[in-house]
């Protein structure tokens, strides 16, 4: 994935079954963001792979004051990339099982 | 420090925990 300065990773092991999964977002390089993030903490949240959209979660983080509006695309992209990877891995596991 | 919890009006919960300084300086 492209280096956005924001890293999103799984906060729990993916059992490949549940739709809602815990994820963790960390700012790795604040210089890559246009605005100043609130702090350098890790933000843990749950993401529903079937219902949630990365753009909405990014906007919620901005509403909550973690990031500035100008970084919404960067945050959304970081989440989207990770979600795509999780989905891809699940598909591959499913194919292997069949 | 301890973790802080923020609940967005949409219902999603964000749990913020401080990252140790040493980890931030890793390449």
């Amino acid at each position: 994935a492209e280096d956005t300065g924001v890293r999103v990773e799984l906060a729990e092991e993916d059992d490949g079954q549940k739709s809602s999964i815990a994820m963790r977002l960390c700012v790795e390089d604040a210089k890559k963001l246009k605005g100043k993030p609130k702090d350098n903490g890790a933000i843990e949240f749950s993401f529903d792979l079937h219902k949630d959209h990365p753009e909405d979660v990014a906007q919620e983080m901005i509403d909550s004051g973690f990031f500035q509006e100008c970084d919404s695309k960067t945050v959304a992209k970081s989440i989207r990339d990770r979600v795509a990877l999780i989905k891809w891995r699940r598909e591959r596991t499913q194919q292997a099982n069949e | 420090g301890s973790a802080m919890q923020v609940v967005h009006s949409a219902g999603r919960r964000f749990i913020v925990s401080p990252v140790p300084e040493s980890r931030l300086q890793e390449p």
Side-chain angles (χ1 to χ4, degrees):
Chain A
E2 196 185 315
D3 187 9
T4 55
V6 177
R7 184 162 49 98
V8 181
E9 58 192 17
L10 282 175
E12 64 178 339
E13 209 171 309
D14 182 13
D15 64 358
Q17 302 295 320
K18 54 188 170 192
S19 63
S20 187
I21 195 154
M23 293 170 105
R24 190 184 298 121
L25 182 147
C26 305
V27 177
E28 283 204 308
D29 190 353
K31 289 192 287 290
K32 288 204 167 121
L33 297 171
K34 290 175 195 146
K36 194 183 179 323
K38 193 177 182 183
D39 49 38
N40 288 312
I43 307 167
E44 211 174 299
F45 57 98
S46 66
F47 188 94
D48 191 305
L49 294 168
H50 302 305
K51 292 185 204 148
D52 285 335
H53 300 285
E55 291 77 12
D56 294 342
V57 180
Q59 190 57 50
E60 288 172 20
M61 286 184 183
I62 288 156
D63 294 346
S64 305
F66 297 124
F67 296 97
Q68 312 249 340
E69 190 74 52
C70 53
D71 289 316
S72 65
K73 281 188 181 149
T74 306
V75 176
K77 184 186 169 12
S78 308
I79 299 171
R80 197 165 54 233
D81 284 352
R82 174 59 62 185
V83 169
L85 185 68
I86 295 166
K87 287 184 176 173
W88 175 80
R89 205 183 284 157
R90 280 190 174 195
E91 275 169 27
R92 233 182 49 154
T93 309
Q94 207 178 343
Q95 279 166 7
N97 288 340
E98 278 167 9
Chain B
S2 55
M4 182 187 76
Q5 191 172 294
V6 176
V7 183
H8 186 265
S9 52
R12 195 182 314 276
R13 206 181 307 161
F14 296 107
I15 301 158
V16 189
S17 45
V19 175
E21 287 293 323
S22 57
R23 203 181 136 180
L24 291 173
Q25 280 158 17
E26 277 174 25

